[in-house]
Amino acid sequence: MTNHSTFDLYSDLPPLPQYQTSLLPSLVPGIPDKLLTVIAPIGAYWTLSMFFHWIDTMNYFPQYRLHTPAEVSSRNKVSRWEVVRDVVVQQLIQTVVAWGLGMTEPDDLTGKEEYDVAVWARRLRIAQRAIPGMFAMAGFDAAGLAKNLAPSHPVLAGVLNGGHYSNLQTASADYGHLNSKPDFTAWELALAGALYWYLVPALQYGIAIIVVDTWQYFLHRAMHMNKWMYTTFHSRHHRLYVPYAYGALYNHPFEGFLLDTLGASIAYKLAGMNTRQGMWFFTASTFKTVDDHCGYALPWDPLQRLTSNNAGYHDVHHQSWGIKTNFSQPFFTFWDRLLGTVWTGGDVSARYEKARLAAQKKADQSNQKITITHSNVADSATQDLRPYQDDKKNATDLPSIPSFDQEPLPPKGKAELQAAGSRQQILDDKQDGGPQVLIQEAIEEKEARSLLRREGRRRTASSLSQTEGLKGLKDRVTGSMHGRAGVLIGMESNR
Protein backbone atom coordinates (compact mmCIF):
# COMPACT_ATOMS: atom_id res chain seq x y z
CA MET A 1 0.00 0.00 0.00
CA THR A 2 2.77 2.40 0.94
CA ASN A 3 4.71 1.66 -2.23
CA HIS A 4 1.60 2.21 -4.33
CA SER A 5 0.93 5.58 -2.62
CA THR A 6 4.51 6.62 -3.12
CA PHE A 7 4.28 5.66 -6.79
CA ASP A 8 1.08 7.71 -7.17
CA LEU A 9 2.74 10.66 -5.47
CA TYR A 10 5.79 10.79 -7.71
CA SER A 11 4.37 9.39 -10.93
CA ASP A 12 3.51 11.50 -13.93
CA LEU A 13 5.94 14.27 -12.92
CA PRO A 14 7.45 16.59 -15.54
CA PRO A 15 11.15 15.95 -16.16
CA LEU A 16 13.76 18.37 -14.84
CA PRO A 17 15.82 20.34 -17.37
CA GLN A 18 19.50 19.69 -17.84
CA TYR A 19 21.95 22.38 -16.83
CA GLN A 20 25.61 23.37 -17.00
CA THR A 21 27.15 25.59 -14.35
CA SER A 22 29.89 28.18 -14.51
CA LEU A 23 31.39 30.59 -12.00
CA LEU A 24 29.14 33.54 -11.19
CA PRO A 25 30.78 36.75 -12.47
CA SER A 26 31.94 39.13 -9.74
CA LEU A 27 29.49 41.83 -8.73
CA VAL A 28 32.30 44.37 -9.11
CA PRO A 29 34.62 43.51 -12.00
CA GLY A 30 38.11 42.66 -10.79
CA ILE A 31 37.08 42.10 -7.15
CA PRO A 32 36.03 38.54 -6.24
CA ASP A 33 32.76 38.40 -4.32
CA LYS A 34 34.48 36.76 -1.34
CA LEU A 35 36.91 39.67 -1.08
CA LEU A 36 34.08 42.15 -1.54
CA THR A 37 32.24 40.46 1.33
CA VAL A 38 35.25 41.28 3.52
CA ILE A 39 35.74 44.92 2.48
CA ALA A 40 32.15 46.08 1.81
CA PRO A 41 31.07 46.21 5.49
CA ILE A 42 34.22 48.14 6.41
CA GLY A 43 33.66 50.57 3.54
CA ALA A 44 30.02 50.96 4.59
CA TYR A 45 31.07 51.64 8.19
CA TRP A 46 33.41 54.50 7.39
CA THR A 47 31.31 55.95 4.57
CA LEU A 48 28.20 56.36 6.72
CA SER A 49 30.27 57.37 9.75
CA MET A 50 32.01 60.13 7.82
CA PHE A 51 28.65 61.36 6.50
CA PHE A 52 27.38 61.82 10.05
CA HIS A 53 30.73 63.29 11.13
CA TRP A 54 30.46 65.77 8.26
CA ILE A 55 26.95 66.97 9.16
CA ASP A 56 28.12 67.11 12.77
CA THR A 57 31.16 69.30 12.14
CA MET A 58 29.27 71.47 9.62
CA ASN A 59 26.44 71.89 12.14
CA TYR A 60 23.77 70.71 9.73
CA PHE A 61 20.42 69.64 11.24
CA PRO A 62 21.20 70.79 14.81
CA GLN A 63 17.47 70.64 15.55
CA TYR A 64 17.63 66.83 15.30
CA ARG A 65 20.68 66.33 17.53
CA LEU A 66 20.14 64.18 20.60
CA HIS A 67 23.07 65.83 22.40
CA THR A 68 25.09 69.00 22.02
CA PRO A 69 28.72 68.93 20.79
CA ALA A 70 29.74 70.14 24.26
CA GLU A 71 28.33 66.95 25.79
CA VAL A 72 30.50 64.80 23.53
CA SER A 73 33.57 66.49 25.00
CA SER A 74 32.45 66.72 28.62
CA ARG A 75 30.71 63.38 29.19
CA ASN A 76 32.64 60.85 27.10
CA LYS A 77 35.53 59.10 28.81
CA VAL A 78 37.56 58.24 25.73
CA SER A 79 39.23 60.32 23.02
CA ARG A 80 38.22 60.11 19.38
CA TRP A 81 41.68 58.79 18.52
CA GLU A 82 41.27 55.88 20.95
CA VAL A 83 37.87 55.13 19.43
CA VAL A 84 39.29 55.00 15.90
CA ARG A 85 42.18 52.81 17.04
CA ASP A 86 39.94 50.24 18.74
CA VAL A 87 37.47 50.19 15.86
CA VAL A 88 40.32 49.42 13.45
CA VAL A 89 41.47 46.59 15.75
CA GLN A 90 37.97 45.10 15.73
CA GLN A 91 37.76 45.42 11.96
CA LEU A 92 41.07 43.59 11.59
CA ILE A 93 39.61 40.74 13.64
CA GLN A 94 36.45 40.93 11.55
CA THR A 95 38.51 40.74 8.35
CA VAL A 96 40.36 37.60 9.48
CA VAL A 97 37.12 35.86 10.50
CA ALA A 98 35.32 36.91 7.32
CA TRP A 99 38.16 35.65 5.14
CA GLY A 100 38.22 32.33 6.98
CA LEU A 101 34.44 32.07 6.69
CA GLY A 102 34.70 32.69 2.96
CA MET A 103 37.21 29.87 2.61
CA THR A 104 34.62 27.42 3.99
CA GLU A 105 32.09 28.42 1.34
CA PRO A 106 31.93 27.02 -2.21
CA ASP A 107 32.18 29.46 -5.08
CA ASP A 108 28.84 30.84 -6.24
CA LEU A 109 27.77 29.30 -9.56
CA THR A 110 25.34 30.28 -12.27
CA GLY A 111 23.53 28.22 -14.91
CA LYS A 112 21.43 26.09 -12.56
CA GLU A 113 18.65 28.60 -11.96
CA GLU A 114 16.16 27.09 -14.44
CA TYR A 115 16.70 23.66 -12.92
CA ASP A 116 16.17 24.99 -9.37
CA VAL A 117 12.93 26.73 -10.40
CA ALA A 118 11.77 23.44 -11.97
CA VAL A 119 12.52 21.65 -8.68
CA TRP A 120 10.19 24.07 -6.89
CA ALA A 121 7.59 23.57 -9.63
CA ARG A 122 7.82 19.80 -9.02
CA ARG A 123 7.24 20.37 -5.32
CA LEU A 124 4.12 22.32 -6.16
CA ARG A 125 2.98 19.48 -8.41
CA ILE A 126 3.57 16.92 -5.65
CA ALA A 127 1.66 19.13 -3.16
CA GLN A 128 -1.36 19.00 -5.50
CA ARG A 129 -1.53 15.24 -5.01
CA ALA A 130 -3.13 15.87 -1.60
CA ILE A 131 -6.07 17.91 -2.96
CA PRO A 132 -8.45 15.02 -3.90
CA GLY A 133 -8.01 13.48 -0.44
CA MET A 134 -8.65 16.83 1.28
CA PHE A 135 -11.83 17.33 -0.77
CA ALA A 136 -12.92 13.78 0.08
CA MET A 137 -12.50 14.48 3.81
CA ALA A 138 -14.83 17.46 3.38
CA GLY A 139 -17.37 15.30 1.51
CA PHE A 140 -16.68 16.53 -2.04
CA ASP A 141 -15.90 14.51 -5.14
CA ALA A 142 -12.83 16.27 -6.57
CA ALA A 143 -12.63 13.90 -9.56
CA GLY A 144 -16.24 14.61 -10.49
CA LEU A 145 -15.71 18.36 -10.20
CA ALA A 146 -12.58 18.08 -12.33
CA LYS A 147 -14.46 16.18 -15.02
CA ASN A 148 -17.17 18.85 -15.18
CA LEU A 149 -14.65 21.70 -15.29
CA ALA A 150 -12.26 20.12 -17.79
CA PRO A 151 -13.86 21.51 -21.01
CA SER A 152 -13.98 25.13 -19.78
CA HIS A 153 -11.23 25.30 -17.12
CA PRO A 154 -8.66 22.59 -17.86
CA VAL A 155 -5.99 23.99 -15.55
CA LEU A 156 -8.35 24.16 -12.55
CA ALA A 157 -9.54 20.66 -13.41
CA GLY A 158 -5.94 19.46 -13.32
CA VAL A 159 -5.42 20.99 -9.87
CA LEU A 160 -8.57 19.30 -8.52
CA ASN A 161 -7.42 16.06 -10.10
CA GLY A 162 -4.29 16.04 -7.96
CA GLY A 163 -1.97 17.74 -10.44
CA HIS A 164 -2.71 15.38 -13.31
CA TYR A 165 -3.04 17.54 -16.43
CA SER A 166 -4.07 15.08 -19.17
CA ASN A 167 -3.89 17.64 -21.97
CA LEU A 168 -0.54 19.12 -20.91
CA GLN A 169 2.16 17.07 -22.60
CA THR A 170 5.43 17.86 -24.29
CA ALA A 171 7.30 15.79 -26.87
CA SER A 172 10.85 14.62 -26.12
CA ALA A 173 13.29 12.37 -27.90
CA ASP A 174 14.87 9.55 -25.88
CA TYR A 175 17.40 7.38 -27.72
CA GLY A 176 15.85 8.26 -31.08
CA HIS A 177 12.26 7.59 -29.96
CA LEU A 178 9.69 10.37 -29.73
CA ASN A 179 7.93 10.25 -26.37
CA SER A 180 5.24 12.36 -24.76
CA LYS A 181 5.95 13.57 -21.22
CA PRO A 182 4.01 15.75 -18.77
CA ASP A 183 4.88 19.45 -18.66
CA PHE A 184 4.58 22.23 -16.09
CA THR A 185 1.73 24.71 -16.18
CA ALA A 186 2.42 28.44 -16.48
CA TRP A 187 1.14 29.10 -12.97
CA GLU A 188 3.41 26.45 -11.47
CA LEU A 189 6.50 27.95 -13.12
CA ALA A 190 5.47 31.50 -12.15
CA LEU A 191 4.88 30.58 -8.52
CA ALA A 192 8.03 28.45 -8.40
CA GLY A 193 10.02 31.39 -9.78
CA ALA A 194 8.59 33.71 -7.12
CA LEU A 195 9.47 31.19 -4.41
CA TYR A 196 13.00 30.69 -5.70
CA TRP A 197 13.90 34.30 -6.47
CA TYR A 198 12.02 36.18 -3.75
CA LEU A 199 10.34 34.20 -0.98
CA VAL A 200 13.23 31.89 -0.08
CA PRO A 201 15.85 34.70 0.01
CA ALA A 202 13.45 36.83 2.09
CA LEU A 203 13.04 33.91 4.48
CA GLN A 204 16.83 33.51 4.69
CA TYR A 205 17.30 37.18 5.52
CA GLY A 206 14.49 36.94 8.07
CA ILE A 207 16.14 33.95 9.76
CA ALA A 208 19.50 35.75 9.81
CA ILE A 209 17.93 38.85 11.38
CA ILE A 210 16.17 36.80 14.07
CA VAL A 211 19.35 34.87 14.85
CA VAL A 212 21.59 37.95 15.11
CA ASP A 213 18.99 39.88 17.16
CA THR A 214 18.61 36.92 19.52
CA TRP A 215 22.36 36.37 19.83
CA GLN A 216 23.09 40.02 20.53
CA TYR A 217 20.18 40.55 22.91
CA PHE A 218 21.01 37.73 25.31
CA LEU A 219 24.78 38.27 25.27
CA HIS A 220 24.36 42.04 25.55
CA ARG A 221 21.92 41.64 28.43
CA ALA A 222 24.24 39.18 30.18
CA MET A 223 27.09 41.70 29.96
CA HIS A 224 24.95 44.22 31.83
CA MET A 225 23.42 41.86 34.36
CA ASN A 226 26.75 40.27 35.31
CA LYS A 227 28.95 42.79 37.14
CA TRP A 228 32.24 41.06 36.20
CA MET A 229 31.36 40.84 32.51
CA TYR A 230 30.31 44.47 32.47
CA THR A 231 33.37 45.91 34.19
CA THR A 232 35.80 43.56 32.39
CA PHE A 233 34.49 43.83 28.85
CA HIS A 234 31.38 45.86 28.09
CA SER A 235 32.09 49.01 30.12
CA ARG A 236 34.61 50.02 27.45
CA HIS A 237 31.82 50.58 24.94
CA HIS A 238 29.97 52.69 27.52
CA ARG A 239 32.82 55.13 27.87
CA LEU A 240 30.80 56.75 25.08
CA TYR A 241 27.97 58.15 27.18
CA VAL A 242 27.20 60.33 24.18
CA PRO A 243 27.50 57.96 21.19
CA TYR A 244 28.52 59.06 17.74
CA ALA A 245 28.57 57.21 14.43
CA TYR A 246 32.12 55.88 14.15
CA GLY A 247 32.04 54.80 17.80
CA ALA A 248 29.49 52.10 16.96
CA LEU A 249 32.12 49.33 16.99
CA TYR A 250 34.20 50.77 19.81
CA ASN A 251 34.40 47.66 21.99
CA HIS A 252 36.74 45.45 23.94
CA PRO A 253 38.29 43.18 21.24
CA PHE A 254 36.90 40.02 22.85
CA GLU A 255 33.42 41.50 23.09
CA GLY A 256 33.61 42.76 19.52
CA PHE A 257 34.48 39.26 18.31
CA LEU A 258 31.88 37.48 20.47
CA LEU A 259 28.95 39.87 20.15
CA ASP A 260 29.26 41.24 16.61
CA THR A 261 31.58 39.15 14.42
CA LEU A 262 30.69 35.68 15.70
CA GLY A 263 26.98 36.46 16.00
CA ALA A 264 26.73 37.65 12.40
CA SER A 265 28.74 34.65 11.18
CA ILE A 266 26.44 32.19 12.96
CA ALA A 267 23.38 33.95 11.52
CA TYR A 268 24.87 33.73 8.03
CA LYS A 269 25.55 30.01 8.36
CA LEU A 270 22.21 29.09 9.92
CA ALA A 271 20.30 31.00 7.24
CA GLY A 272 22.10 29.03 4.51
CA MET A 273 23.10 32.14 2.59
CA ASN A 274 25.46 32.20 -0.34
CA THR A 275 28.45 34.54 -0.54
CA ARG A 276 26.62 37.40 -2.22
CA GLN A 277 23.69 37.22 0.18
CA GLY A 278 26.14 37.30 3.06
CA MET A 279 27.78 40.40 1.62
CA TRP A 280 24.45 42.27 1.57
CA PHE A 281 23.52 41.02 5.04
CA PHE A 282 26.83 42.02 6.66
CA THR A 283 26.78 45.42 4.93
CA ALA A 284 23.17 46.13 5.94
CA SER A 285 23.94 45.13 9.54
CA THR A 286 26.88 47.52 9.54
CA PHE A 287 24.80 50.41 8.17
CA LYS A 288 22.17 49.75 10.85
CA THR A 289 24.71 49.61 13.69
CA VAL A 290 26.35 52.89 12.64
CA ASP A 291 22.97 54.59 12.24
CA ASP A 292 21.90 53.46 15.72
CA HIS A 293 24.89 55.31 17.22
CA CYS A 294 24.76 58.40 14.99
CA GLY A 295 23.37 60.76 17.65
CA TYR A 296 20.65 62.19 15.37
CA ALA A 297 16.90 61.56 15.35
CA LEU A 298 16.47 62.27 11.66
CA PRO A 299 12.80 61.95 10.63
CA TRP A 300 13.73 61.33 6.98
CA ASP A 301 16.37 58.65 7.69
CA PRO A 302 14.94 55.40 6.24
CA LEU A 303 16.88 53.24 8.69
CA GLN A 304 15.29 55.12 11.58
CA ARG A 305 11.82 54.81 10.09
CA LEU A 306 11.86 51.07 9.39
CA THR A 307 11.90 49.94 13.04
CA SER A 308 11.68 51.50 16.49
CA ASN A 309 15.21 50.25 17.18
CA ASN A 310 17.00 53.39 16.10
CA ALA A 311 19.29 56.17 17.33
CA GLY A 312 16.80 57.53 19.87
CA TYR A 313 15.97 54.08 21.21
CA HIS A 314 19.61 53.09 21.57
CA ASP A 315 20.67 56.46 22.99
CA VAL A 316 18.62 55.64 26.11
CA HIS A 317 20.89 52.63 26.61
CA HIS A 318 23.96 54.89 26.72
CA GLN A 319 22.56 57.19 29.42
CA SER A 320 23.23 56.68 33.11
CA TRP A 321 19.53 56.25 33.86
CA GLY A 322 18.80 53.76 31.04
CA ILE A 323 21.98 51.72 30.69
CA LYS A 324 20.26 48.53 31.92
CA THR A 325 17.40 48.84 29.42
CA ASN A 326 16.94 48.69 25.63
CA PHE A 327 19.40 45.83 25.02
CA SER A 328 18.03 44.92 21.57
CA GLN A 329 20.36 45.33 18.59
CA PRO A 330 20.64 45.89 15.71
CA PHE A 331 17.32 45.39 13.90
CA PHE A 332 14.18 44.96 16.02
CA THR A 333 13.05 45.35 19.63
CA PHE A 334 10.91 42.23 20.09
CA TRP A 335 13.13 40.68 22.79
CA ASP A 336 13.11 43.88 24.89
CA ARG A 337 9.33 44.10 24.65
CA LEU A 338 8.75 40.39 25.21
CA LEU A 339 11.03 40.16 28.27
CA GLY A 340 10.21 43.54 29.81
CA THR A 341 13.57 45.28 29.39
CA VAL A 342 12.38 48.19 27.23
CA TRP A 343 12.72 51.63 28.86
CA THR A 344 9.32 52.69 30.24
CA GLY A 345 10.01 56.29 31.27
CA GLY A 346 9.19 58.06 28.01
CA ASP A 347 11.27 60.95 26.66
CA VAL A 348 12.38 61.73 30.20
CA SER A 349 15.42 63.82 29.28
CA ALA A 350 15.06 67.49 28.31
CA ARG A 351 17.86 66.89 25.80
CA TYR A 352 15.45 64.93 23.61
CA GLU A 353 12.84 67.68 23.56
CA LYS A 354 14.40 69.84 20.85
CA ALA A 355 14.69 66.88 18.47
CA ARG A 356 11.18 65.76 19.38
CA LEU A 357 9.67 69.18 18.70
CA ALA A 358 11.48 69.42 15.35
CA ALA A 359 10.32 65.95 14.33
CA GLN A 360 6.78 66.67 15.58
CA LYS A 361 6.65 69.86 13.52
CA LYS A 362 7.59 67.85 10.42
CA ALA A 363 5.00 65.14 11.20
CA ASP A 364 2.10 67.39 12.22
CA GLN A 365 0.52 67.12 8.80
CA SER A 366 -0.07 63.41 9.41
CA ASN A 367 -1.26 63.90 13.03
CA GLN A 368 1.47 61.50 14.13
CA LYS A 369 2.58 61.68 17.76
CA ILE A 370 6.37 61.65 17.87
CA THR A 371 8.59 60.19 20.58
CA ILE A 372 12.36 60.07 20.34
CA THR A 373 12.86 57.02 22.57
CA HIS A 374 9.80 55.06 21.31
CA SER A 375 8.75 54.75 24.93
CA ASN A 376 5.33 55.34 26.48
CA VAL A 377 5.58 56.95 29.91
CA ALA A 378 2.26 55.35 30.91
CA ASP A 379 3.97 51.93 30.76
CA SER A 380 5.98 52.76 33.86
CA ALA A 381 2.87 52.53 36.01
CA THR A 382 1.26 49.56 34.27
CA GLN A 383 4.00 47.13 33.21
CA ASP A 384 5.20 44.15 35.21
CA LEU A 385 8.23 45.22 37.27
CA ARG A 386 10.28 42.20 36.27
CA PRO A 387 13.24 41.88 35.81
CA TYR A 388 13.88 45.12 37.77
CA GLN A 389 11.82 44.39 40.89
CA ASP A 390 14.92 44.28 43.13
CA ASP A 391 17.08 46.87 41.41
CA LYS A 392 16.25 49.79 43.69
CA LYS A 393 16.80 47.66 46.79
CA ASN A 394 20.14 46.43 45.41
CA ALA A 395 21.31 49.93 44.48
CA THR A 396 23.22 50.22 47.75
CA ASP A 397 25.54 53.03 46.65
CA LEU A 398 22.86 55.21 45.07
CA PRO A 399 21.50 56.74 48.31
CA SER A 400 24.88 58.44 48.80
CA ILE A 401 24.27 60.49 45.64
CA PRO A 402 22.14 63.62 46.28
CA SER A 403 18.83 63.66 44.46
CA PHE A 404 19.80 66.80 42.51
CA ASP A 405 22.67 64.77 41.00
CA GLN A 406 20.24 62.08 39.83
CA GLU A 407 18.64 63.90 36.97
CA PRO A 408 16.59 63.50 34.90
CA LEU A 409 14.07 62.16 37.38
CA PRO A 410 12.20 59.14 35.99
CA PRO A 411 8.46 58.69 36.54
CA LYS A 412 7.29 56.51 39.41
CA GLY A 413 6.93 52.81 38.84
CA LYS A 414 9.06 50.55 36.67
CA ALA A 415 11.10 53.40 35.15
CA GLU A 416 12.20 54.43 38.64
CA LEU A 417 13.53 50.90 39.26
CA GLN A 418 15.20 50.81 35.84
CA ALA A 419 16.95 54.13 36.51
CA ALA A 420 18.09 53.00 39.97
CA GLY A 421 19.61 49.78 38.61
CA SER A 422 21.23 51.64 35.73
CA ARG A 423 22.79 54.30 37.96
CA GLN A 424 24.07 51.64 40.34
CA GLN A 425 25.82 50.00 37.40
CA ILE A 426 27.54 53.31 36.66
CA LEU A 427 28.67 53.49 40.29
CA ASP A 428 29.92 49.88 40.15
CA ASP A 429 32.22 50.80 37.27
CA LYS A 430 35.12 52.35 39.19
CA GLN A 431 37.30 52.91 36.11
CA ASP A 432 34.95 54.46 33.56
CA GLY A 433 31.92 55.30 35.71
CA GLY A 434 31.54 56.56 39.27
CA PRO A 435 29.63 59.48 40.83
CA GLN A 436 31.18 62.02 38.49
CA VAL A 437 29.29 60.53 35.55
CA LEU A 438 25.97 61.08 37.32
CA ILE A 439 26.97 64.59 38.40
CA GLN A 440 28.02 65.59 34.88
CA GLU A 441 24.84 64.23 33.35
CA ALA A 442 22.74 66.09 35.92
CA ILE A 443 24.56 69.32 35.02
CA GLU A 444 23.89 68.77 31.33
CA GLU A 445 20.25 67.98 32.07
CA LYS A 446 19.77 71.21 34.01
CA GLU A 447 21.43 73.20 31.22
CA ALA A 448 19.16 71.52 28.66
CA ARG A 449 16.06 72.41 30.71
CA SER A 450 17.25 75.99 31.10
CA LEU A 451 17.86 76.25 27.37
CA LEU A 452 14.39 74.89 26.64
CA ARG A 453 12.84 77.48 28.98
CA ARG A 454 14.76 80.30 27.30
CA GLU A 455 13.77 79.08 23.84
CA GLY A 456 10.18 78.71 25.03
CA ARG A 457 10.17 82.32 26.28
CA ARG A 458 11.65 83.51 22.98
CA ARG A 459 9.00 81.62 21.03
CA THR A 460 6.28 83.06 23.28
CA ALA A 461 7.69 86.58 22.95
CA SER A 462 7.93 86.17 19.20
CA SER A 463 4.33 84.94 19.04
CA LEU A 464 3.15 87.83 21.21
CA SER A 465 5.11 90.29 19.08
CA GLN A 466 3.51 88.89 15.94
CA THR A 467 0.08 89.01 17.59
CA GLU A 468 0.59 92.59 18.76
CA GLY A 469 1.86 93.54 15.31
CA LEU A 470 -1.22 92.08 13.73
CA LYS A 471 -3.42 93.75 16.33
CA GLY A 472 -1.72 97.09 15.69
CA LEU A 473 -2.20 96.67 11.98
CA LYS A 474 -5.83 95.80 12.56
CA ASP A 475 -6.31 98.89 14.78
CA ARG A 476 -4.66 101.13 12.21
CA VAL A 477 -6.76 99.71 9.41
CA THR A 478 -9.91 99.95 11.53
CA GLY A 479 -9.06 103.51 12.53
CA SER A 480 -8.41 104.43 8.96
CA MET A 481 -11.70 102.91 7.94
CA HIS A 482 -13.46 104.77 10.75
CA GLY A 483 -11.85 107.98 9.51
CA ARG A 484 -12.98 107.31 6.01
CA ALA A 485 -16.41 106.42 7.30
CA GLY A 486 -16.58 109.75 9.13
CA VAL A 487 -15.55 111.66 6.04
CA LEU A 488 -18.03 109.77 3.96
CA ILE A 489 -20.76 110.39 6.51
CA GLY A 490 -19.85 114.06 6.62
CA MET A 491 -19.90 114.27 2.90
CA GLU A 492 -23.24 112.54 2.92
CA SER A 493 -24.62 114.98 5.49
CA ASN A 494 -23.24 117.97 3.65
CA ARG A 495 -25.20 116.93 0.69
Side-chain angles (χ1 to χ4, degrees):
M1 182 70 178
T2 303
N3 291 338
H4 179 68
S5 299
T6 303
F7 175 77
D8 288 345
L9 192 64
Y10 291 101
S11 66
D12 198 27
L13 291 177
L16 297 174
Q18 295 182 339
Y19 64 90
Q20 185 173 1
T21 60
S22 59
L23 286 176
L24 181 69
S26 299
L27 186 64
V28 177
I31 304 177
D33 279 356
K34 289 184 179 180
L35 178 58
L36 193 60
T37 301
V38 174
I39 63 178
I42 297 173
Y45 186 92
W46 290 109
T47 300
L48 189 58
S49 291
M50 289 304 99
F51 167 75
F52 281 114
H53 184 64
W54 174 65
I55 67 172
D56 199 35
T57 54
M58 298 300 290
N59 200 32
Y60 293 135
F61 314 116
Q63 70 272 31
Y64 298 123
R65 270 196 177 120
L66 298 178
H67 301 276
T68 64
E71 280 190 84
V72 176
S73 303
S74 62
R75 292 183 57 210
N76 286 341
K77 304 300 180 185
V78 60
S79 70
R80 290 182 181 266
W81 156 245
E82 291 174 292
V83 169
V84 171
R85 179 199 64 196
D86 283 13
V87 168
V88 170
V89 169
Q90 174 159 340
Q91 288 179 333
L92 288 173
I93 296 171
Q94 176 182 306
T95 298
V96 172
V97 173
W99 187 255
L101 193 66
M103 293 300 99
T104 68
E105 292 294 313
D107 292 325
D108 288 347
L109 302 174
T110 187
K112 194 185 173 189
E113 293 83 2
E114 185 182 354
Y115 174 88
D116 290 332
V117 169
V119 169
W120 277 103
R122 261 198 173 189
R123 291 167 179 163
L124 292 173
R125 180 66 61 89
I126 292 169
Q128 294 170 62
R129 299 290 194 254
I131 291 176
M134 294 170 63
F135 269 69
M137 290 173 63
F140 294 101
D141 180 13
L145 288 172
K147 185 176 179 180
N148 293 332
L149 288 170
S152 57
H153 298 87
V155 174
L156 181 57
V159 173
L160 292 172
N161 206 26
H164 294 284
Y165 301 87
S166 57
N167 62 335
L168 194 63
Q169 302 287 323
T170 184
S172 64
D174 290 333
Y175 302 105
H177 299 285
L178 193 64
N179 295 319
S180 179
K181 293 186 176 180
D183 200 1
F184 293 111
T185 63
W187 78 264
E188 287 173 321
L189 291 174
L191 182 54
L195 287 167
Y196 177 76
W197 290 110
Y198 302 106
L199 185 60
V200 171
L203 184 62
Q204 287 175 299
Y205 283 116
I207 291 171
I209 286 171
I210 291 171
V211 170
V212 79
D213 272 5
T214 302
W215 179 272
Q216 292 213 10
Y217 174 84
F218 285 101
L219 274 176
H220 189 193
R221 178 175 171 172
M223 287 189 174
H224 279 277
M225 297 304 181
N226 183 284
K227 183 177 177 180
W228 178 81
M229 289 180 72
Y230 179 79
T231 55
T232 305
F233 301 114
H234 192 53
S235 64
R236 179 180 296 203
H237 181 68
H238 283 283
R239 291 173 184 172
L240 290 175
Y241 290 97
V242 182
Y244 46 80
Y246 61 86
L249 291 183
Y250 172 67
N251 295 308
H252 187 286
F254 175 73
E255 179 196 343
F257 166 74
L258 182 65
L259 200 65
D260 296 311
T261 306
L262 186 58
S265 301
I266 291 173
Y268 164 74
K269 282 291 191 181
L270 289 180
M273 292 179 171
N274 59 34
T275 300
R276 192 166 290 181
Q277 287 177 305
M279 177 186 63
W280 292 118
F281 174 67
F282 297 142
T283 303
S285 300
T286 301
F287 270 130
K288 187 68 174 62
T289 300
V290 172
D291 197 81
D292 289 347
H293 290 81
C294 71
Y296 284 83
L298 299 173
W300 39 262
D301 182 345
L303 292 176
Q304 298 195 26
R305 304 286 289 179
L306 285 173
T307 79
S308 59
N309 195 347
N310 54 25
Y313 184 88
H314 190 65
D315 190 78
V316 169
H317 179 71
H318 277 262
Q319 306 312 304
S320 66
W321 41 269
I323 202 170
K324 288 184 74 175
T325 67
N326 291 13
F327 300 122
S328 292
Q329 279 186 285
F331 293 105
F332 296 98
T333 64
F334 56 85
W335 284 119
D336 271 327
R337 300 190 185 282
L338 185 64
L339 299 180
T341 53
V342 69
W343 168 251
T344 59
D347 291 349
V348 67
S349 173
R351 283 163 290 184
Y352 296 145
E353 187 64 12
K354 187 175 182 180
R356 190 193 68 77
L357 289 172
Q360 185 68 58
K361 184 178 180 181
K362 187 174 179 64
D364 273 345
Q365 296 176 349
S366 63
N367 296 319
Q368 179 184 2
K369 183 174 175 58
I370 297 293
T371 66
I372 297 301
T373 61
H374 295 275
S375 168
N376 184 358
V377 69
D379 290 342
S380 183
T382 59
Q383 275 199 10
D384 187 340
L385 300 181
R386 291 175 295 180
Y388 302 99
Q389 67 272 21
D390 297 324
D391 276 34
K392 190 171 183 179
K393 180 180 67 178
N394 294 335
T396 53
D397 297 326
L398 196 57
S400 66
I401 306 298
S403 58
F404 54 79
D405 286 333
Q406 297 184 43
E407 295 198 22
L409 294 175
K412 295 292 184 182
K414 187 171 185 176
E416 188 177 23
L417 303 181
Q418 291 174 321
S422 296
R423 286 171 169 146
Q424 180 61 45
Q425 184 155 86
I426 299 296
L427 297 175
D428 289 338
D429 183 12
K430 306 303 181 186
Q431 181 176 347
D432 302 311
Q436 192 58 39
V437 171
L438 304 186
I439 294 169
Q440 186 62 47
E441 184 162 3
I443 291 171
E444 299 287 353
E445 184 66 26
K446 290 166 189 170
E447 289 180 357
R449 280 207 306 269
S450 176
L451 179 62
L452 278 174
R453 283 195 295 268
R454 291 197 299 271
E455 289 182 349
R457 285 196 292 269
R458 282 199 296 269
R459 283 195 297 269
T460 302
S462 176
S463 298
L464 286 172
S465 176
Q466 290 176 9
T467 303
E468 289 171 357
L470 290 171
K471 184 176 182 296
L473 178 62
K474 179 182 177 183
D475 290 343
R476 288 194 297 273
V477 170
T478 304
S480 174
M481 291 299 292
H482 281 314
R484 286 185 62 194
V487 171
L488 291 170
I489 291 170
M491 289 172 64
E492 196 71 41
S493 62
N494 286 338
R495 287 179 186 172

